Amino acid sequence: MCLGIPGQIVAITDAERLMALADVSGVRRAVNVACIADGRLENLIGCWTLIHVGFAMSRIDADEAAKTLEALRDLGEAQEALEAMAEGQRALEGKS
Amino acid sequence: MKYASEFRDPKAAKAILAAIARAADSIGATRERPVHIMEICGGHTHAIFRYGLDKLVHEGVEFIHGPGCPVCVLPMSRVDECVEIAERPEVIFTTFGDAMRVPGTKRSLVQAKAAGADIRMVYSPLDALDLARRSPGREVVFFGLGFETTTPSTALSIQAAAREGLTNFSVFCNHITVPEPIRALLDDPHMTLDGFIGPGHVSMVIGTHPYDFIARDYRKPIVVAGFEPLDLLQSVLMVLRQIEDGRAEVENQYARVVPEHGNPVSLAAIADVYERRPSFEWRGLGEIDASGLRIRAKYAAFDAEEKFGIGYAAGPRHVAEPEGCACGAVMTGRIKPPACPHIGKGCTPETPLGALMVSSEGACAAYWQYGGVRAAAE
Ligand code: SF4
């Protein structure tokens, strides 16, 4: 929960609510981009960001994203975050 | 150096370890009289154990594991209040998975769920918002937990709910702040800390200036660090160099992610939605002045404490910690987890007695997993 996980913004899904779709280790997840939005939202597509509990909190470069992901995998935190995302999805579907 | 092969750059690790040893020798640090460096963030604690950094560094450097895991410092009374809310028939209680197993005085959220309460684990407060939109007949409560890294997420969610006019969404706010417990530790007459490793992702939000008082008023070095092993070693070295030079400054080892003034959007959302509580209870540390946040009156409709009349909204309160639990002593650095009589016996990650065993970021869970406690118990 405390460590962010890197993700790449792949699409803007709801400009009014500042929502985008991010690819996090191969998993697609809706994220809020309010904290990194300046200028046109479309400019965020392709950007790497650190995502905390569904919010893109800072932009990082691709190299930093790769290193961070590796460290998170080592710590088991990457898996934990991905499981939490899946759990969140199940909660929405009323299955948990 | 058996762990060094695990580093992405073993050569760099070796060079920094050698520099740490030289600096430690130069300031006269020994096994008997070590320098005490506190890492504040639970993520750092986890990384230190995972890579065995505490064993790799010069014997005159001792890590003290700080109170930087929000799950670990959550008092039992707050867990009880969660359960109380969750057991209301109209409520869907949503929480991060980390909080599910924290023991309350009667039960944890896992146990309450097993007994029939509608409790759902979510990844983000955004999931809770979605659930509220989809469940107009129910009250969706989100358990807002965490330091400054997660505070913006609930602030932005409350703002969104207000804009949309959602009337069935509220947050049970347990957000806490990093600088105030550090001040409390520094004011403790038994304090033996010589320097700090500052949290990386918290600082990404708040910047480095909230730590200025540590250097200015208490003359202690603090280095904001990333959580890769080399980041941590580098930061230890920077702390030692400050001590060597007689400096006390706030330095930023993680400048590639942490801007000096933090993230302006996050800070604005926090300031709009939250205000400081006069004081907040920390497990093992007691009440600390101005260390917790509450939802401002203008957003009272989204404040679960107001909505359900519980918690601080219900008046004075106190719940004692379980008998013999040494969590408080561990968190203030007075003892190490192996010295707790419960570790590995009454207290394991499956059946945690104290909060430090619940989260992978808790010091006792780290000792269990990496410090040989589990092996000894099995
Ligand atoms: S072993 Fe359990 S009871 Fe003892 S300090 Fe750690 S968490 Fe607390």
Side-chain angles (χ1 to χ4, degrees):
Chain A
M1 158 176 89
C2 301
L3 299 177
I5 186 163
Q8 192 174 27
I9 305 294
V10 293
I12 304 298
T13 49
D14 183 342
E16 203 185 316
R17 285 184 180 153
L18 294 166
M19 293 299 294
L21 199 63
D23 183 308
V24 184
S25 271
V27 174
R28 301 252 159 147
R29 160 79 215 189
V31 298
N32 178 295
V33 293
C35 297
I36 58 165
D38 51 357
R40 283 171 51 79
L41 284 182
E42 280 67 31
N43 294 345
L44 292 174
I45 294 172
C47 275
W48 283 95
T49 73
L50 264 182
I51 299 167
H52 282 262
V53 298
F55 289 74
M57 298 296 294
S58 98
R59 292 196 210 192
I60 50 178
D61 62 32
D63 183 49
E64 175 65 20
K67 282 191 193 161
T68 303
L69 204 54
E70 194 176 328
L72 289 172
R73 285 210 185 100
D74 275 354
L75 292 175
E77 301 267 354
Q79 298 85 309
E80 243 175 61
L82 293 173
E83 275 161 31
M85 286 179 198
E87 194 70 56
Q89 194 54 43
R90 283 197 289 277
L92 283 178
E93 290 158 8
K95 289 184 196 143
S96 77
Chain B
M1 205 181 293
K2 75 175 160 84
Y3 296 93
S5 58
E6 278 201 43
F7 289 111
R8 200 175 314 112
D9 189 347
K11 255 220 214 103
K14 238 183 186 159
I16 303 175
L17 285 168
I20 287 174
R22 276 196 302 277
D25 281 335
S26 133
I27 59 178
T30 61
R31 181 195 294 271
E32 290 70 37
R33 293 196 33 229
V35 272
H36 292 120
I37 300 180
M38 173 175 275
E39 86 280 359
I40 298 158
C41 164
H44 283 158
T45 303
H46 189 178
I48 286 166
F49 279 97
R50 166 69 184 80
Y51 293 99
L53 301 184
D54 52 329
K55 299 193 186 70
L56 285 176
V57 294
H58 183 279
E59 58 180 16
V61 176
E62 191 170 348
F63 288 104
I64 306 290
H65 316 299
C69 160
V71 173
C72 302
V73 297
L74 189 70
M76 288 192 141
S77 54
R78 293 303 269 183
V79 178
D80 289 347
E81 285 154 14
C82 285
V83 170
E84 201 182 315
I85 299 174
E87 285 177 342
R88 299 172 76 103
E90 76 277 25
V91 165
I92 301 177
F93 192 84
T94 56
T95 174
F96 297 133
D98 312 43
M100 289 293 285
R101 285 182 303 118
V102 188
T105 54
K106 295 185 207 81
R107 38 188 172 275
S108 66
L109 286 169
V110 174
Q111 290 160 334
K113 183 178 165 80
D118 191 348
I119 299 174
R120 307 196 197 170
M121 281 188 264
V122 292
Y123 164 65
S124 164
L126 294 171
D127 300 337
L129 263 185
D130 258 345
L131 211 48
R133 292 184 190 114
R134 292 180 197 193
S135 326
R138 305 286 301 277
E139 277 294 337
V140 176
V141 181
F142 180 72
F143 185 17
L145 181 67
F147 287 102
E148 291 90 334
T149 23
T150 53
T151 311
S153 69
T154 54
L156 289 161
S157 299
I158 288 173
Q159 287 177 329
R163 264 197 312 273
E164 290 175 34
L166 276 180
T167 55
N168 65 334
F169 173 80
S170 59
V171 172
F172 181 48
C173 178
N174 289 272
H175 288 299
I176 44 179
T177 56
V178 162
E180 287 67 25
I182 302 180
R183 188 188 290 279
L185 289 172
L186 285 166
D187 282 335
D188 186 327
H190 303 294
M191 206 277 307
T192 60
L193 302 172
D194 300 297
F196 294 90
I197 305 283
H201 289 171
V202 161
S203 309
M204 173 183 75
V205 172
I206 64 174
T208 58
H209 288 297
Y211 310 120
D212 287 348
F213 75 95
I214 298 172
R216 188 188 57 228
D217 303 342
Y218 294 88
R219 305 291 310 150
K220 301 290 176 195
I222 172 164
V223 177
V224 171
F227 58 91
E228 291 175 48
L230 288 185
D231 289 330
L232 281 163
L233 290 180
Q234 180 104 49
S235 303
V236 168
L237 179 59
M238 289 166 77
V239 169
L240 294 178
R241 291 246 161 95
Q242 286 199 38
I243 297 173
E244 197 177 6
D245 300 345
R247 287 179 293 131
E249 295 167 10
V250 182
E251 289 183 297
N252 187 359
Q253 184 275 337
Y254 199 32
R256 58 191 199 274
V257 169
V258 174
E260 185 187 340
H261 295 288
N263 182 288
V265 178
S266 300
L267 291 172
I270 294 174
D272 177 48
V273 174
Y274 295 115
E275 63 189 0
R276 287 180 187 281
R277 297 177 193 265
S279 75
F280 194 71
E281 183 190 350
W282 293 57
R283 188 172 189 137
L285 302 176
E287 294 275 345
I288 301 177
D289 287 351
S291 64
L293 301 177
R294 70 176 170 213
I295 296 168
R296 287 186 188 274
K298 67 171 170 170
Y299 290 110
F302 305 97
D303 184 347
E305 285 185 65
E306 294 294 329
K307 202 170 214 173
F308 303 107
I310 55 145
Y312 283 76
R317 42 205 283 292
H318 191 73
V319 184
E321 295 295 323
E323 186 93 22
C325 174
C327 292
V330 171
M331 236 176 307
T332 48
R334 276 177 286 142
I335 69 162
K336 296 265 169 179
C340 174
H342 300 293
I343 195 161
K345 299 187 187 83
C347 189
T348 67
E350 283 70 46
T351 53
L353 188 63
L356 294 175
M357 194 54 103
V358 172
S359 156
S360 58
E361 294 175 3
C364 295
Y367 267 87
W368 167 265
Q369 197 177 350
Y370 303 114
V373 176
R374 173 193 220 155
E378 281 172 358

